[in-house]
Amino acid sequence: NVLRSDEIWLDGKLVKWEEGQVHIMTHALHYGLGAFEGIRAYRTHDGRLAVFRLREHIDRLFDSTHICMMKMPFTREQVTEGCLELLRTQKELFANGAYLRPIAFMGDGAMGLGAINPTRVAITAWDWGAYLGDKGIREGIRAKVSSFTRMHVNVNMVRGKISGQYVNSILAKREAVLGGYDEAILLDISGFVAEASGENIFLVNKKGVIKTPPLSSPILDGITRDSVLRILRDSGREVEEVTVTRDALYISNEVFFTGTAAEITPVREVDNRTVGEGKPGPITQYVQETYFRAVRGLEPRYAHWLTYI
Ligand code: PMP
């Protein structure tokens, strides 16, 4: 029962949702060569709809396709305009916000790993509530360190949001959920904390030092991570982008996840150990509040993060 767009932007044109179909021989379906984005649009305080950090998301999409050597048949401006057009034509449907999913993928034609088929591009939109639940946002979630490892930086291309790479995330997520947890935390091949299955991770230690794994570890360069670094540093707090051990999470005062879908989600438990007081701590709350104010257009200093449709 997802509220979804009536139309899909497919290869440059708006088509009906039902017509957003691809052939079984789509190369990406077999081998995973595709790149996608997850973008949120929010209803701002004055009732308008604004897309959060659209330019950064489109830039990352084009970085991903460049890394995969996929030729993009559209310019950044055309894909940007496609996102806005999709929302504009369905303004009422998405009056309360929307999640946008642009995807570029290798289409059908030849098969085999050496094939180079034309890249196809689609944008869909739907209404996606809190990814880890409203209760998760309010009270925090329970996470488990995964038995699956985040792949080495020369296995997965970590600066890309590449479709096939998500099998690793799905295996970790399923394992965690089947085990009764809400989310999986993946370690890198050396055993250091990387990120969650679809979120970056921050922690606050007992001395109040805020840390997050560095971009040289196998993590996505999250746009929410970047926004949170900005919010924290602008508030006069320092954040260390450093290697984090698994047990550092256990003895932290606060742990939280950041991501477009998950927004700012507190983590109240890691591997059955209560984090801090088992509820969102003051820094997590500060970040959450400021982030939600920013996306709703209530923080003038972050007004440049919003593109009104
Ligand atoms: N890591 C992974 C593996 C993700 O899929 C995501 C979601 N895109 C993130 C981190 C968070 O990135 P962002 O803040 O740009 O959504």
Side-chain angles (χ1 to χ4, degrees):
N1 270 345
V2 205
L3 182 62
R4 49 161 182 72
S5 53
D6 296 330
E7 288 174 306
I8 286 174
W9 188 96
L10 183 60
D11 300 320
K13 287 192 285 290
L14 287 178
V15 299
K16 291 261 159 279
W17 176 275
E18 294 72 26
E19 287 162 25
Q21 310 233 358
V22 295
H23 198 271
I24 290 293
M25 290 294 274
T26 296
H27 192 277
L29 184 61
H30 298 249
Y31 307 120
L33 196 71
F36 65 99
E37 274 304 319
I39 311 175
R40 273 193 195 268
Y42 289 90
R43 183 194 172 100
T44 56
H45 68 103
D46 55 5
R48 288 186 290 163
L49 198 61
V51 184
F52 187 67
R53 306 201 69 176
L54 179 57
R55 191 169 56 84
E56 290 83 351
H57 281 285
I58 299 297
D59 281 347
R60 190 170 65 186
L61 180 69
F62 277 75
D63 281 350
S64 299
T65 56
H66 180 72
I67 289 168
C68 292
M69 298 176 85
M70 291 162 65
K71 197 167 175 307
M72 279 296 264
F74 298 100
T75 62
R76 281 164 212 253
E77 291 68 35
Q78 285 171 311
V79 179
T80 303
E81 194 43 44
C83 291
L84 295 171
E85 192 186 355
L86 191 62
L87 294 179
R88 270 189 213 117
T89 55
Q90 325 202 28
K91 239 184 192 155
E92 275 158 41
L93 191 62
F94 294 127
N96 290 320
Y99 181 87
L100 279 165
R101 168 58 57 82
I103 182 164
F105 57 97
M106 180 122 89
D108 55 336
M111 269 298 159
L113 302 180
I116 303 175
N117 299 333
T119 306
R120 303 192 58 188
V121 185
I123 310 168
T124 44
W126 65 90
D127 177 44
W128 214 358
Y131 178 68
L132 292 167
D134 290 323
K135 191 160 176 271
I137 292 257
R138 278 195 319 272
E139 296 172 16
I141 57 120
R142 298 175 61 238
K144 176 89 185 79
V145 170
S146 185
S147 74
F148 294 98
T149 302
R150 198 41 122 207
M151 279 184 271
H152 183 265
V153 292
N154 202 28
V155 176
N156 270 356
M157 297 292 102
V158 293
R159 287 298 87 85
K161 196 167 161 60
I162 296 164
S163 301
Q165 300 186 166
Y166 276 81
V167 172
N168 180 237
S169 281
I170 290 171
L171 292 173
K173 176 82 182 183
R174 290 232 175 136
E175 178 189 60
V177 171
L178 287 171
Y181 303 88
D182 303 302
E183 183 54 296
I185 295 170
L186 291 103
L187 308 178
D188 66 18
I189 57 160
S190 305
F192 295 108
V193 175
E195 60 180 347
S197 72
E199 299 88 28
N200 293 110
I201 189 165
F202 284 74
L203 64 91
V204 185
N205 75 9
K206 291 219 167 56
K207 294 182 183 144
V209 181
I210 310 168
K211 300 184 185 190
T212 192
L215 291 181
S216 54
S217 59
I219 63 168
L220 190 71
D221 185 356
I223 291 162
T224 320
R225 175 186 183 276
D226 179 74
S227 307
V228 167
L229 285 172
R230 186 77 276 138
I231 286 170
L232 285 167
R233 287 172 178 157
D234 283 351
S235 74
R237 296 173 173 93
E238 279 173 33
V239 189
E240 295 179 3
E241 296 178 63
V242 289
T243 302
V244 169
T245 58
R246 170 182 189 163
D247 56 1
L249 300 174
Y250 302 162
I251 58 170
S252 288
N253 272 357
E254 303 183 37
V255 174
F256 61 90
F257 291 151
T258 65
T260 299
E263 299 166 311
I264 314 298
T265 301
V267 179
R268 63 183 164 86
E269 205 183 288
V270 178
D271 290 346
N272 307 308
R273 289 145 177 100
T274 304
V275 173
E277 293 177 12
K279 56 179 198 217
I283 296 192
T284 308
Q285 284 177 25
Y286 173 79
V287 170
Q288 227 183 27
E289 265 171 43
T290 313
Y291 184 78
F292 284 131
R293 285 175 57 81
V295 301
R296 304 215 156 93
L298 288 166
E299 287 285 341
R301 65 181 152 178
Y302 305 126
H304 60 284
W305 284 347
L306 300 177
T307 305
Y308 288 87
I309 67 157

